[in-house]
């Protein structure tokens, strides 16, 4: 093999020879034979047996494939002097950036590499070089991969050590692939990436599959978190939040769903109190005078999933009396029903639906009749009668009626004008003021919300309607002083506080148990048992078992997880619960049998089974990019520190614990300064903070994390740890089950540790089961690897332990490992499943 010094001398000779070709029009074939062959073989030490030329794959012939045992890469050669578009002075950039101006050659090499089942490649014209991994096998975004650039032969000579350490045969054998001295290009090995058919889904047993369909139907009743559309359902399932029914634990005090601390927001937490205030406000909207002014709008704000829609349904279908509503006709507009095209024509489509809603809900108003239409436009008709229609009305009645009908049809088809006149008619002649409810506009992006606000402003001012509009508080905080959101400068704003999640779920399960009837039977196999026939009525046993698991003791881990990781987003909590019930890892049939065998059991569903089902859905392995469970040990891009997220969360938690709720927020720049002073890179801290915000582990004082769009921290914002972040960093990371899942896709930056973990990692069977003994051993190896990595981190943040793994072990992980080892010892050796 050729060493570095010999390689440099040969490169200088190659460069002189290259200059002789400057005035020669080399073809692509000449470029390969005269330049690239010479460079790789003579300068970089590759030999002919390492090279496979112009090999055919489905998309065509690639130019070169270089191979050593365990590593291969493709070289795509382009015609000399056809320059790639590279940024000046940059030594590297992402493939997404390189794509601009080079999309054709990038697409070509990616197709070749993909068909060959590889990742790595080089694009070159004999003078410029682009080196990198052009595909990923772990499901991550390839456009974020960095490629190394060499702009010309002078650049290669100036950076020859780096060039040699990247692609010489000697260096690639030493490094096991493209070498790099840049920390930003360090990539760990991931267990998930090495597993064949890692995305294959479970094969569920027939009994669980058939019962799962029934569970889906049954749970549909429990899951109706915002479609409480009849009075009885509302009365049985709606939670009247009486002074925010929460326990007095410190955690709940610190992380309760509190109303925004703004002067214009009415901070009532009692549901009946809010309803009474809104009712009083709407009474003030009653028509007292013919030229009544438009009433102040009512804005309902609350966090995502807190129950704004449910509260509106409660107001109009349970709280307000029939007599009250008889004097206040309302129009309910749910924006979720509209397509993007509908929302582009909001003034036409939404007004049409508003008019149709009036026709359907209030047929006794006879708004469609000729008589009422004439009263709606009586001013315009009178003006025409006294002018252009005078002669026809007196002498030619048919012609007059024809003109009148044409007039009515024309103005009725102008929907916005017609709606305004219709509202005016109800005020003038019936002493009724319309109330227009605009709900769920905050489910869309900011452009749609602007249009919804402009629409609300229009119907309020032009049609003089009452307006109730729901808005996520994150948007209200951020946009309330900007147009068009400042249009309602005299609004009444009410904050809806999310009810306790446990009460919501318990009422939904009770409702299902009391009201749902299930008939029929299912036949199937359970585990290794013989054929089993089960009555569908046993689904009630299953729900009863769920209820006992959740509410049978004060400290249910399942309920704690749901409450602390989703509150105040009640909708998300219910979605996760439904996700668990329908997961391929949820053995419905087994749970039913457990309840039937032991009806008084308080925990027929262990927490580890619940967490696994939520984390993995129907997959055999955990992947944080698609899972509902987040991986705290997965570093941000370009980082190889497994603990930075955890340290930031612990830092924020200690501040909350020390100063309490009133001072729990801290400016982002202070967090940044604290960690940079400890030795961490500022760009990595910002990346980690943004990931924590995106995962809802931290929150801002203006509730930017309540939004779904453009989530990004700004330097002036104040942040704190969320209830979810607190639960993960103080409870979940101390669980064997959590680490057992996280090791599936946490990058391992030390090869020997990766080899040991991969060697012991148990492959799942068709049902998603893994050998328990191997799982314990693999998790212990993962813990040991984390301990070794933590020893390399000498940065010290005041108050934050540098023994995070040790703290995890002391706070329950070690005890749980011992308990699980005891379980393993009692398992039949021939089964070995947990």
């Amino acid at each position: 093999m050729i060493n570095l010094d010999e390689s440099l001398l040969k490169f200088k000779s190659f460069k002189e020879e290259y200059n002789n070709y400057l005035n020669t029009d080399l073809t692509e074939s000449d470029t390969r034979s005269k330049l690239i062959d010479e460079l790789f073989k003579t300068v970089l030490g590759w030999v002919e047996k390492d090279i496979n030329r112009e090999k055919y794959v489905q998309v065509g012939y690639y130019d070169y494939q270089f191979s050593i045992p365990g590593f291969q890469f493709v070289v795509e050669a382009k015609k000399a002097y056809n320059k790639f578009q590279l940024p000046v002075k940059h030594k590297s950039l992402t493939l997404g950036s390189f794509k601009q101006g080079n999309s054709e050659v990038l697409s070509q090499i990616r197709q070749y590499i993909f068909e060959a089942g590889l990742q790595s490649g080089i694009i070159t014209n004999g003078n410029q070089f682009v080196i990198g991994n052009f595909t990923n096998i772990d499901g991550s975004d390839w456009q974020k991969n960095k490629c190394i650039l060499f702009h010309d032969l002078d650049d290669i000579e100036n950076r020859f050590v780096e060039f040699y350490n990247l692609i010489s045969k000697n260096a690639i054998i030493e490094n096991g692939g493209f070498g790099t001295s840049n920390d930003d290009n360090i990539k760990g090995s991931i267990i998930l990436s090495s597993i064949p058919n890692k995305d294959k889904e479970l094969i569920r047993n027939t009994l669980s599959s058939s019962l799962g369909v029934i569970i889906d139907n049954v749970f549909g009743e429990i899951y109706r978190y915002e479609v409480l559309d009849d009075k009885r359902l509302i009365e049985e399932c709606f939670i009247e939040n009486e002074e925010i029914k929460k326990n007095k634990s410190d955690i709940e005090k610190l992380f309760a769903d509190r109303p925004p601390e703004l002067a214009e927001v009415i901070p009532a937490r009692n549901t009946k109190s809010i309803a009474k205030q809104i009712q009083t406000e709407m009474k003030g909207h009653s028509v007292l005078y013919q030229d009544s002014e438009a009433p102040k709008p009512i804005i309902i704000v609350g966090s995502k999933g807190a129950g704004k829609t449910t509260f509106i349904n409660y107001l109009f279908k349970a709280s307000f009396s029939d007599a009250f509503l008889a004097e206040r006709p309302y129009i309910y507009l749910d924006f979720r029903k509209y397509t993007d095209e509908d929302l582009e024509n909001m003034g036409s489509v939404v007004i049409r639906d508003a008019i149709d809603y009036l026709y359907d809900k209030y047929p006794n108003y006879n708004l469609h009749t000729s008589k009422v239409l004439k009263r709606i436009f009586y001013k315009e008709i009178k003006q025409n009668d006294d002018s252009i229609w005078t002669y026809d009305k007196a002498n030619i009645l048919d012609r007059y009626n024809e003109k009148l009908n044409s007039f009515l049809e024309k103005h009725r088809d102008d929907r916005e004008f017609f709606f305004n006149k219709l509202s005016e008619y109800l005020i003038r002649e019936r002493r009724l003021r319309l109330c227009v409810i605009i709900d769920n506009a905050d489910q869309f992006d900011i452009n749609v919300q602007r249009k919804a606000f402009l629409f609300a402003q229009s119907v309020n001012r032009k049609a003089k309607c009452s307006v109730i509009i729901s808005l996520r508080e994150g948007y209200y905080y951020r946009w309330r002083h900007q147009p068009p959101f400042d249009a309602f400068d005299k609004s009444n704003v009410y904050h809806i506080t999310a009810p306790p999640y446990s009460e919501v779920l318990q009422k939904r399960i009770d409702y299902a148990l009391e009201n749902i009837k299930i008939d029929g039977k299912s036949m199937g196999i359970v585990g290794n048992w013989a054929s089993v026939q089960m009555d569908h009525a046993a689904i009630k046993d299953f729900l009863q078992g769920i209820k006992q698991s959740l509410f049978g003791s004060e400290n249910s881990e399942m309920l704690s997880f749901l409450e602390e990781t989703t509150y105040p987003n009640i909708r998300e909590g219910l979605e996760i619960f439904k996700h668990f019930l329908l997961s391929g890892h949820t053995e419905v049939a087994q749970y039913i049998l457990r309840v039937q065998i032991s009806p008084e059991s308080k925990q027929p569903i262990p927490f580890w089974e619940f967490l696994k089902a939520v984390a993995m859905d129907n997959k055999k392995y955990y992947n944080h990019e698609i899972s509902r469970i987040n991986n705290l040990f997965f570093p941000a891009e370009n980082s190889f520190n497994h603990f930075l997220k955890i340290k930031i969360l612990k830092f924020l938690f200690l501040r909350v614990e020390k100063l309490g709720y009133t001072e729990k927020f801290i400016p982002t720049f202070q967090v940044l300064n604290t960690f940079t002073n400890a030795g961490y890179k500022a760009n990595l801290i910002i990346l980690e903070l943004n990931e924590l915000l995106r995962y809802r582990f931290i929150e801002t004082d203006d509730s930017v994390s309540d939004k779904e769009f453009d989530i990004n921290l700004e330097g002036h914002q104040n942040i704190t740890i969320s209830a979810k972040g607190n639960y993960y960093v103080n409870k979940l990371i101390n669980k064997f089950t959590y680490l057992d899942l996280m090791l599936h896709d946490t990058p391992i930056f030390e090869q020997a540790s990766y080899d040991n973990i991969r060697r012991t990692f148990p492959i799942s069977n068709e049902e998603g089961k893994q050998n328990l003994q191997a799982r314990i051993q693999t998790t212990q190896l993962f813990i040991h690897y984390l301990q070794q990595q933590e020893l390399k981190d000498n940065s010290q943040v005041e108050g934050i332990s540098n023994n995070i793994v040790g703290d995890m072990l002391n706070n329950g992980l070690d005890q749980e490992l011992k308990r699980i080892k005891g379980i393993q010892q009692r398992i039949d050796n021939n089964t070995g499943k947990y």
Side-chain angles (χ1 to χ4, degrees), residues 251 649-657 721 726 730:
I251 295 299
L649 290 177
K650 284 186 174 292
F651 172 78
L652 294 174
F653 173 74
L654 288 175
R655 179 182 176 86
V656 172
E657 194 174 50
I721 188 172
N726 169 71
N730 288 318

Side-chain angles (χ1 to χ4, degrees), residues 336-379:
R336 289 173 303 179
K337 66 177 282 190
Y338 296 117
T339 65
D340 292 339
E341 184 178 351
D342 292 335
L343 295 172
E344 285 295 319
N345 304 293
M346 190 177 297
S348 174
V349 175
V350 179
I351 285 287
R352 176 202 65 199
D353 286 356
I355 295 169
D356 289 345
Y357 191 99
L358 269 179
Y359 284 163
D360 295 340
K361 186 170 181 62
Y362 303 100
N364 57 311
Y365 289 177
N366 297 316
L367 298 177
H368 61 285
T369 63
S370 175
K371 179 181 178 181
V372 172
L373 284 174
K374 290 175 184 178
R375 293 307 303 163
I376 289 172
F377 295 107
Y378 93 98
K379 287 184 180 179

Side-chain angles (χ1 to χ4, degrees), residues 249-502:
S249 72
D250 291 337
I251 295 299
E252 288 178 327
K253 284 181 182 178
L254 294 172
F255 299 109
D257 183 24
R258 289 174 168 81
E261 295 180 357
L262 301 172
E264 71 269 25
V265 177
I266 299 171
R269 296 186 186 179
N270 183 306
T271 300
K272 290 182 178 179
S273 173
I274 295 177
K276 185 176 180 180
Q277 291 179 64
I278 292 176
Q279 182 171 334
T280 301
E281 180 69 19
M282 290 183 66
K283 283 181 179 178
H285 295 181
S286 299
V287 178
L288 300 176
Y289 309 101
Q290 184 165 319
D291 296 324
S292 177
E293 292 295 321
K296 291 190 299 183
I298 294 171
I299 300 178
I300 307 292
V301 299
S303 58
K304 177 184 176 184
K308 298 183 292 295
T309 297
T310 299
F311 176 74
I312 289 171
N313 274 303
Y314 164 78
L315 281 182
F316 285 87
K317 294 175 181 177
S319 179
F320 295 158
S321 68
D322 292 341
F324 179 82
L325 292 175
E327 298 177 2
R328 294 161 187 85
Y330 67 89
I331 297 169
Y332 178 78
L333 299 171
D334 189 339
F335 269 56
R336 289 173 303 179
K337 66 177 282 190
Y338 296 117
T339 65
D340 292 339
E341 184 178 351
D342 292 335
L343 295 172
E344 285 295 319
N345 304 293
M346 190 177 297
S348 174
V349 175
V350 179
I351 285 287
R352 176 202 65 199
D353 286 356
I355 295 169
D356 289 345
Y357 191 99
L358 269 179
Y359 284 163
D360 295 340
K361 186 170 181 62
Y362 303 100
N364 57 311
Y365 289 177
N366 297 316
L367 298 177
H368 61 285
T369 63
S370 175
K371 179 181 178 181
V372 172
L373 284 174
K374 290 175 184 178
R375 293 307 303 163
I376 289 172
F377 295 107
Y378 93 98
K379 287 184 180 179
E380 291 80 5
I381 292 172
K382 187 175 186 307
Q383 289 172 355
N384 288 337
D385 284 346
D386 293 341
S387 56
I388 59 175
W389 294 348
T390 302
Y391 178 80
D392 293 331
K393 185 174 183 180
N395 300 290
I396 311 173
L397 191 57
D398 287 346
R399 184 188 295 176
Y400 171 80
N401 288 333
E402 184 178 326
K403 288 183 177 180
L404 176 60
N405 290 336
S406 178
F407 169 86
L408 293 174
E409 184 176 1
K410 174 185 175 183
H411 285 80
R412 186 190 61 185
D413 290 344
D414 183 349
R415 289 171 179 151
E416 186 173 358
F417 176 72
F418 176 58
F419 182 80
N420 294 339
K421 296 297 294 184
L422 191 156
S423 177
E424 181 184 304
Y425 157 77
L426 290 172
I427 292 172
R428 182 184 68 242
E429 300 196 13
R430 299 204 175 199
R431 295 295 188 266
L432 298 172
R433 188 186 299 281
L434 284 174
C435 177
V436 178
I437 303 165
I438 300 171
D439 197 15
N440 290 310
D442 59 346
Q443 302 275 346
F444 295 89
D445 65 28
I446 198 65
N447 292 324
V448 171
Q449 292 187 65
R450 284 194 178 100
K451 290 180 181 179
F453 262 71
L454 289 172
F455 172 75
Q457 181 187 20
S458 175
V459 297
N460 178 240
R461 295 185 176 179
K462 293 180 181 179
K464 298 182 180 179
C465 293
S466 298
V467 169
I468 296 178
I469 185 166
S470 66
L471 181 64
R472 201 174 302 172
E473 65 187 40
Y475 289 115
Y476 181 77
Y477 273 8
R478 199 151 197 183
W479 301 106
R480 68 190 188 281
H481 295 314
Q482 300 181 33
F485 302 97
D486 60 351
F488 294 147
D489 54 347
K490 295 181 180 179
S491 305
N492 278 340
V493 185
Y494 296 89
H495 181 269
I496 301 303
T497 301
Y501 180 80
S502 58

